[in-house]
Amino acid sequence: MKKKAFVAMTALSVFLGGSIPVSLSSAASVSTVNGTVAATFSDVAGHWAEGAIYEAVKRGYVTGYPTGKFLPNAKVSRAEFVKMAVSALNLPVESTSNGLWYVKYVDAAKTSGIFVEGDFVGSDWNKPLSREEMSKVAVRALEMKAEDKQWMYMATKNGMISGTAPGVLSPDGSTTRAQAISVIERMLSVKNGKKLAVDKYAVSAAELYWHDTNIMTMLPRYFHDSFNGKPFDNKAMVSQSPDGKATCKVTQLIAIDLGDPKDPNRKLIESKEYAWVGNGKYHKLKDSDGYAVMGISETKITGKLNVERLFPCQIAFQNDDWYEMPENVKNPKKPDRTYGIMPWNAKYEQFQSFVNVSKLSSGTVSFATGTLFPKGDFVSDKAFRFIFGGMGNWQGSYIPIYHGKLNKNYHQ
């Protein structure tokens, strides 16, 4: 039996983010289902989080405003989110003599471990919650550990957070009430053993935000979980000229799916032409549907160099089977050989592997090199290597960064 009615302000008390009880005004529609009273808000119909909002209200950890609205797009404070999370998780809350309404919820969050001192910068609990701060609470609630800047990667990888746009994380962006509730609902689902769909572009962006690469997300067949048991670390990929006037470092290692027109990182190729090259043949990179793995480097120059052409920092990936294959391979499990990647010089129809520094005495020069990875579940039992080469005519030998084997459990 379901009845609808409009109630006076004294008829139903609900709670906002804080501890002060407020009442639904006569503008709020109220449904009665089998004796259970549930509010219907005037501003959530058709909202992307409508289902999550009503589920959250049903669970009792969030409510609406006296005007009969929910205000799904209003910003949520740190205190309000912690109170929601604590209530949704049914964590024990002890009363406190402190006059601030949120203290008991913060204490409960600390005791349970879903919040650790230092997770939020500063002590202002009325400050709008950032998306990264929300990720920390959500990940800790799943009893997972993370290092600095890894929180959003863990949250996106488990399907709790999506991007604000394709490939856009907005870690410092404020959080709305609808976003907060959606994350809490997903968090509860994961805790109950449900596997959620993930935003692959958000996971890729979160891995880049974490440790300057997205290669584990994009190419798990080649790189999975870690680099030799450790997170990716580009501190080893630094090269300096003998006179100290030029320092080159790889700032990012980015994998791009050339067969996916929506891959947010395609802009790195489309903003500047690149070519893949092998056996003296040159082809525009965008003509391939493989994976381009680009090492983005920066060379900082602080004085006049005694060379005209400066070779940038370079990255390279090696697998013996790649180089032993003929140009045309009929077996779909073994696609054509891989090619290196360099900037394309349309004027001379060749790739450019150096930077002209004859007129430079200061400034920063950006560059990119890389490798084209094949698609189609490339098979090889031989070692797979990732190496780094220093810059300039003095670059010398390559430095090994990774050495491992393909993981055939992942399909590319």
Side-chain angles (χ1 to χ4, degrees):
M1 184 68 180
K2 180 175 180 179
K3 297 178 181 178
K4 278 196 174 180
F6 287 94
V7 296
M9 289 187 67
T10 57
L12 178 67
S13 288
V14 294
F15 285 82
L16 191 54
S19 61
I20 303 175
V22 294
S23 303
L24 289 173
S25 70
S26 57
S29 174
V30 174
S31 298
T32 303
V33 183
N34 296 328
T36 301
V37 180
T40 301
F41 304 108
S42 61
D43 59 348
V44 300
H47 192 279
W48 64 267
E50 180 179 5
I53 289 170
Y54 283 117
E55 185 62 29
V57 171
K58 180 180 176 182
R59 293 184 194 272
Y61 65 84
V62 69
T63 56
Y65 286 83
T67 58
K69 295 183 177 182
F70 187 82
L71 302 185
N73 299 322
K75 294 179 181 178
V76 67
S77 71
R78 293 166 165 177
E80 288 170 337
F81 182 75
V82 168
K83 188 260 183 184
M84 291 180 192
V86 167
S87 301
L89 293 167
N90 294 315
L91 301 177
V93 178
E94 297 182 3
S95 59
T96 176
S97 58
N98 191 311
L100 299 173
W101 68 265
Y102 56 80
V103 171
K104 60 183 180 180
Y105 298 106
V106 173
D107 289 342
K110 289 180 181 178
T111 301
S112 68
I114 69 169
F115 173 78
V116 173
E117 204 71 53
D119 279 352
F120 300 165
V121 178
S123 57
D124 185 359
W125 282 92
N126 293 312
K127 184 177 179 179
L129 180 80
S130 75
R131 287 168 53 80
E132 186 168 27
E133 291 169 343
M134 177 171 59
S135 297
K136 291 180 180 181
V137 174
V139 171
R140 289 194 187 280
L142 298 181
E143 299 180 3
M144 295 179 178
K145 295 181 180 180
E147 61 182 47
D148 185 37
K149 297 185 76 172
Q150 191 185 5
W151 301 101
M152 296 200 79
Y153 173 71
M154 299 297 291
T156 55
K157 188 178 179 181
N158 285 279
M160 292 186 292
I161 289 182
S162 300
T164 55
V168 180
L169 277 183
S170 306
D172 296 324
S174 57
T175 306
T176 66
R177 282 164 58 82
Q179 290 169 340
I181 286 167
S182 178
V183 168
I184 290 175
E185 286 298 306
R186 293 174 187 173
M187 176 188 73
L188 294 174
S189 294
V190 174
K191 283 186 72 69
N192 289 329
K194 186 176 180 181
K195 190 173 174 112
L196 304 180
V198 301
D199 178 348
K200 65 178 182 179
Y201 301 135
V203 179
S204 174
E207 192 191 346
L208 270 169
Y209 178 70
W210 167 30
H211 57 187
D212 300 318
T213 187
N214 66 344
I215 200 166
M216 296 192 309
T217 299
M218 296 294 295
L219 290 170
R221 189 174 178 85
Y222 298 87
F223 298 93
H224 49 94
D225 298 329
S226 67
F227 282 73
N228 301 331
K230 298 179 181 179
F232 175 79
D233 186 357
N234 56 5
K235 293 183 178 64
M237 291 182 282
V238 178
S239 175
Q240 191 173 57
S241 63
D243 58 10
K245 293 180 181 179
T247 302
C248 179
K249 63 179 180 180
V250 174
T251 57
Q252 290 184 315
L253 181 65
I254 301 179
I256 307 163
D257 185 349
L258 298 177
D260 181 1
K262 296 181 180 179
D263 188 320
N265 291 313
R266 284 184 66 92
K267 62 182 180 289
L268 294 173
I269 294 172
E270 293 166 352
S271 62
K272 183 177 182 179
E273 290 238 41
Y274 287 88
W276 46 275
V277 56
N279 292 345
K281 298 179 181 179
Y282 305 91
H283 308 273
K284 288 185 179 180
L285 190 62
K286 61 186 178 183
D287 292 337
S288 168
D289 66 348
Y291 294 94
V293 180
M294 312 285 283
I296 313 298
S297 67
E298 289 185 354
T299 301
K300 186 176 182 180
I301 300 172
T302 57
K304 183 69 176 176
L305 301 173
N306 61 357
V307 294
E308 180 180 349
R309 295 179 175 183
L310 185 68
F311 290 84
C313 289
Q314 299 183 40
I315 64 162
F317 299 87
Q318 300 176 342
N319 175 271
D320 292 341
D321 283 331
W322 284 354
Y323 301 104
E324 293 176 359
M325 288 188 297
E327 279 292 318
N328 299 307
V329 180
K330 295 181 180 179
N331 183 350
K333 291 294 183 181
K334 289 191 174 183
D336 292 351
R337 75 166 68 230
T338 187
Y339 292 82
I341 297 170
M342 289 288 181
W344 175 260
N345 188 325
K347 182 177 180 181
Y348 300 104
E349 296 186 351
Q350 63 184 4
F351 71 92
Q352 180 179 333
S353 59
F354 62 86
V355 179
N356 189 330
V357 293
S358 59
K359 297 180 180 180
L360 288 177
S361 59
S362 65
T364 300
V365 179
S366 297
F367 207 79
T369 58
T371 300
L372 184 67
F373 281 58
K375 282 189 176 180
D377 284 354
F378 173 74
V379 176
S380 175
D381 291 325
K382 297 181 180 178
F384 183 74
R385 300 178 296 278
F386 169 33
I387 57 178
F388 164 74
M391 65 174 174
N393 298 328
W394 54 81
Q395 64 182 4
S397 61
Y398 280 82
I399 300 171
I401 303 295
Y402 176 83
H403 185 281
K405 292 226 176 157
L406 302 179
N407 188 329
K408 298 175 184 177
N409 293 326
Y410 292 95
H411 299 282
Q412 295 298 133

